[in-house]
Amino acid sequence: MAISQPASDHRRAFDLDLPQRLVGILDTASARHGRAVLLLVAVALISFLPGFFSLSPIDRDEARFAQATKQMLESGNYVDIRFHTQVRYKKPIGIYWLQAATVKAGEAVIGPSARTSIWLYRLPSLVAAIGAVLLTYWTALVFLSRRGALFASLMMAGCVLLGVEARLAKTDAVLLFTILACFGALARAYIRPPGARLRDWTLAFIFWTGLAAGILVKGPVAPLFIGPAIAALAIADRSGAFLRPLKPLPGLLWCLLLVLPWFVAIYLVTNGAFYQLAVGVDMMGKVAEGAEGHWGPPGSYFLAAWGTFWPSIVVAALAAPYVWRNRRGQAERFLLCWLVPSWVVFEIAVTKLPHYVLPVYPALAILSALVVERGGLAAVGSRLAGVVWFWPGFGIVVSLALGAAYLYFGSGFGLAVWPLLLLGVTLLWWAARAYSRVGIEGAFLTALAGAMVLYLAVWQTMLPQMRALWISERLAAVVKQQGCPAANVASFPYQEPSLVFLVGTQIQYGLPKEAAALLKKGGCALAFIDERFTPVFERHAGLLGLKYHAVATISGFTYNGGRPTSITVFRSDEAAP
């Protein structure tokens, strides 16, 4: 006679089944480098692709970068950097060249529409983000087994901040890729792995080429991460001999050979104005004061990491005591010298933006995986172990907040959204419950699965459908419907960079008086006027004797200004000249 198992035993077996299966996938993938790489690429794509094609251009940085690249393509000038009618002397040329190359390739396939297809401008970020996950694996192999390196890389693949940057046409994912190439080479110079295959000149080439690429992408930011790490290692070791494999003198000359041509060219083209604005205003302003309102006290990045490095931050928190106790170990010393000095510098700097510390997150991931591989979490106390409930806690808070925003800004109830949110939170809850029985690997992999479900819900099904947020996209659709050229379109006071990108470089930004004068010229001409300034526009239109009518009203929410808005589109009834 069969004896039935208690319901609690069935529930326990069910709780353990998924985490153990995921650990089995980790074991299988780590058997060979090829399998590990395939798994990492697959997880990265699942994490990064939702919303990549469907999200409208994000104001303001992404739209400014994309529009500046578009103007390079329009003008054929690949040295100077301009946005609309202004110069854009903030960052070097690297990201614009990468974006221009992808858009050029896109034009050959899909035609002229490539120039307003934001996903083409995002491709360098996506490729760099996937590359950063793979470079984390390559770097971690210096300190960890193949299995441990795979675990560290999965921590980066699921990281919230890297997922955000993978979807934005800006510098930070590409910068991370270049800095990781440098640290991967530096790690191999500092800790020569047994049976190392790369020769010194290969390491030197990777290091200095990566540094040059980082400088071309974001100026002195790449050296700002690498320099303090090297200095800290030299102080800790009382020697800089570990730099010899990197061939400092010929390597520096190679780096200068790569970066100087454009830096000299931009100096000549702008008569030094680029350096005055990029260094004197942009960079020094961020150090001395909270540029563009992005101020934060010391400790801001520590608090932000609980959201930006989620869900991996839980593993890092559990690993922290072990890392501190073993901080004098060679591997720990290298990774802490990578992590701590740059983190401290950015905590001291007045301007705070979450993505500034992204290049130290791989060090945090590798340190955490190092502790896991050594069994360092065995002594974690019950109080600290409770941090695993941050997985479902954070997921629930984000789901409730975004669910409310979706109902408020969205264009419908969206039946597909809610099951995905529920599934994601359930997996996160499952991960926290399973931790005490399956250990951190199975628990984290379950949390990662839950996070990826939430990413699908948020990026693919929620944000693109929040129509109230995408005002520029809806205004551009009106322009396309009316068939007016960008030079005959005026907007006030809504002047977001995404509007320039989607409508056209020739769009006119001016006062209501100037918008009325543009419509008075006749022909197919449009004016976008916020309801607060409609009376002013109508008064000037009356003084001019302008004939016009309203063709649409676009109501929405300006997420940069943080307020609701309603914009009326007026069309001229004047005869064409």
Side-chain angles (χ1 to χ4, degrees), residues 61 81 127 236 244 277 280 282 360 376 413 444 448 479 497 519 537 542:
D61 275 355
I81 307 168
V127 173
R244 288 174 185 163
L277 294 174
D282 185 57
V360 304
F413 187 74
F444 170 75
L448 177 60
V479 175
L519 266 60
F537 171 80

Side-chain angles (χ1 to χ4, degrees), residues 99-423:
Q99 291 178 358
T102 58
V103 175
K104 275 284 191 183
E107 283 183 316
V109 177
I110 64 176
S113 65
R115 292 198 180 179
T116 51
S117 299
I118 188 63
W119 65 270
L120 284 169
Y121 297 81
R122 291 170 175 163
L123 273 179
S125 294
L126 175 66
V127 173
I130 296 171
V133 171
L134 298 179
L135 281 177
T136 300
Y137 176 74
W138 181 64
T139 304
L141 287 171
V142 178
F143 311 99
L144 297 163
S145 68
R146 191 179 298 161
R147 192 175 186 277
L150 179 57
F151 186 78
S153 308
L154 288 171
M155 290 178 67
M156 282 302 297
C159 165
V160 166
L161 184 55
L162 184 55
V164 171
E165 295 302 332
R167 294 173 172 88
L168 296 179
K170 48 199 284 288
T171 56
D172 296 284
V174 177
L175 177 70
L176 173 64
F177 178 83
T178 64
I179 290 175
L180 262 171
C182 294
F183 273 109
L186 181 62
R188 281 165 171 75
Y190 186 77
I191 302 175
R192 303 293 278 183
R197 296 181 180 180
L198 294 181
R199 297 183 178 180
D200 290 355
W201 283 105
T202 305
L203 285 179
F205 176 80
I206 294 172
F207 179 87
W208 293 103
T209 304
L211 183 60
I215 292 171
L216 283 172
V217 167
K218 212 165 181 178
V221 177
L224 189 61
F225 282 96
I226 297 161
I230 291 174
L233 286 170
I235 292 170
D237 290 1
R238 296 189 177 89
S239 171
F242 60 87
L243 290 174
R244 288 174 185 163
L246 299 181
K247 312 295 183 185
L249 183 57
L252 181 60
L253 293 174
W254 169 245
C255 180
L256 291 174
L257 180 65
L258 293 176
V259 303
L260 278 181
W262 179 80
F263 280 100
V264 171
I266 195 64
Y267 177 84
L268 296 174
V269 167
T270 67
N271 197 26
F274 175 86
Y275 296 98
Q276 293 174 12
L277 294 174
V279 179
V281 176
D282 185 57
M283 188 180 77
M284 297 309 297
K286 289 177 179 177
V287 174
E289 58 187 29
E292 300 176 353
H294 302 300
W295 175 87
S300 297
Y301 286 117
F302 173 77
L303 294 175
W306 288 88
T308 57
F309 197 48
W310 184 87
S312 307
I313 188 64
V314 170
V315 187
L318 293 170
Y322 180 93
V323 171
W324 178 251
R325 289 194 303 269
N326 296 273
R327 61 189 180 277
R328 299 187 188 281
Q330 189 181 30
E332 289 87 349
R333 182 165 64 249
F334 179 90
L335 294 166
L336 286 172
C337 286
W338 174 356
L339 171 66
V340 175
S342 297
W343 193 294
V344 170
V345 168
F346 283 101
E347 289 284 18
I348 293 172
V350 178
T351 300
K352 298 288 194 301
L353 284 170
H355 59 263
Y356 283 179
V357 295
L358 178 60
V360 304
Y361 280 5
L364 197 55
I366 297 171
L367 267 173
S368 304
L370 187 70
V371 176
V372 171
E373 183 166 274
R374 292 179 179 177
L377 300 187
V380 170
S382 58
R383 289 185 179 180
L384 184 57
V387 76
V388 297
W389 289 99
F390 186 71
W391 281 327
F394 183 82
I396 290 170
V397 170
V398 169
S399 296
L400 289 175
L402 288 175
Y406 178 72
L407 290 175
Y408 185 76
F409 298 119
S411 54
F413 187 74
L415 293 178
V417 170
W418 311 106
L420 286 173
L421 290 178
L422 181 60
L423 176 59

Side-chain angles (χ1 to χ4, degrees), residues 50-70:
F52 182 84
F53 299 98
S54 55
L55 272 178
S56 188
I58 308 294
D59 287 307
R60 293 180 172 128
D61 275 355
E62 177 182 49
R64 284 172 177 155
F65 277 107
Q67 175 60 26
T69 299
K70 183 153 73 85

